[in-house]
Amino acid sequence: MTVSPSNQGRLMAITKDPRARDNGFDSFERDEWVKLVPETDRELRFTATRTPVPAPWLRSDPGGRR
């Protein structure tokens, strides 16, 4: 999900997760969902979640060039 400033003191949250519709997001683009949230919303919380991703040079590609 990305969150960026919008107009009139709001934040725009955009995600590609279709489950967002069940949480009040509206269709934005073909595969994106958007929700405008007031900056002063007392229930607004941000949580950073990190997902480990293997380094590209550690993947084995027997036919690839080095």
Side-chain angles (χ1 to χ4, degrees):
M1 176 184 304
T2 59
V3 178
S4 55
S6 185
N7 57 7
Q8 300 175 353
R10 298 182 294 185
L11 300 171
M12 182 168 55
I14 301 174
T15 182
K16 291 183 179 260
D17 188 339
R19 297 175 294 176
R21 188 174 87 180
D22 298 334
N23 291 298
F25 282 65
D26 296 315
S27 180
F28 180 57
E29 291 287 333
R30 181 177 179 175
D31 61 346
E32 293 181 329
W33 302 88
V34 66
K35 185 171 187 175
L36 294 174
V37 182
E39 289 179 351
T40 57
D41 187 337
R42 293 183 179 262
E43 294 182 18
L44 182 62
R45 301 285 184 263
F46 289 94
T47 304
T49 304
R50 297 181 182 204
T51 305
V53 177
W57 56 87
L58 295 178
R59 291 187 216 144
S60 63
D61 184 8
R65 291 176 29 179
R66 293 186 183 236

